[in-house]
Amino acid sequence: MTNDSTDARDLNKLAVRIGLPEFSIRPECEDDLEAAALALRRAWFERAHKAADATLKSPCAGTTVPMPGGDTVRFGYERDLDVSMLEERGALDHPTPDGWTSSRVLCRSGQSTLSCLLHLVTSTTVPAVPLTLHHAGRYFESKGLVNLWP
């Protein structure tokens, strides 16, 4: 038995296990294996993302979202999140080493995090060369924030 036939058998076992029909994979055909693996990956991601895709990415405050394990989470827009849980967990999740002191900055959103980082980068020292920043994102607020810096 070749590796290709073992791979084909494994891909088909996985496909059937998640409810897909078996793939038609010709012996020794690398393209068929690649296509089957990609189809399996897409199907897996579709199932894995199903719980998150059922709600808006910026839902109204108070929206309750069912999780795959059966629990529910009150999910609202990220700026509405209560950071007290993170504040309480911070020292437990990332303890300060003996003899050290620690300061933490928690941000309620990606936008506030980006703003903090840009303030830090532009205020700590004068760079030897002008700071250059390229924003490759598409979120309009991020672009507007980046445009505030010379």
Side-chain angles (χ1 to χ4, degrees):
M1 184 178 286
T2 67
N3 283 342
D4 286 348
S5 62
T6 301
D7 291 343
R9 187 184 71 232
D10 290 346
L11 285 169
N12 276 319
K13 277 184 180 179
L14 289 170
V16 169
R17 195 163 185 181
I18 66 168
L20 293 176
E22 285 194 15
F23 300 110
S24 175
I25 303 172
R26 294 169 289 179
E28 308 298 325
C29 184
E30 190 72 26
D31 289 342
D32 286 355
L33 283 171
E34 289 293 326
L38 181 59
L40 185 62
R41 184 174 187 203
R42 284 186 174 141
W44 180 256
F45 280 135
E46 181 181 317
R47 283 161 179 77
H49 289 257
K50 191 173 186 178
D53 290 344
T55 60
L56 298 172
K57 299 307 176 219
S58 296
C60 299
T63 300
T64 301
V65 177
M67 302 305 287
D71 294 335
T72 57
V73 174
R74 287 182 52 90
F75 184 70
Y77 193 62
E78 65 182 7
R79 292 182 188 122
D80 296 333
L81 297 176
D82 179 7
V83 298
S84 63
M85 181 174 67
L86 293 175
E87 292 171 339
E88 292 167 7
R89 285 182 18 202
L92 297 174
D93 290 344
H94 304 285
T96 305
D98 291 336
W100 289 49
T101 59
S102 173
S103 296
R104 299 175 197 276
V105 176
L106 296 173
C107 300
R108 293 170 58 110
S109 70
Q111 288 305 114
S112 62
T113 303
L114 178 60
S115 181
C116 284
L117 290 173
L118 287 172
H119 279 293
L120 176 68
V121 166
T122 59
S123 67
T124 55
T125 60
V126 177
V129 295
L131 176 66
T132 301
L133 178 69
H134 174 73
H135 179 257
R138 299 216 191 299
Y139 196 58
F140 73 94
E141 289 177 333
S142 297
K143 184 177 179 187
L145 184 61
V146 169
N147 287 340
L148 291 176
W149 274 265

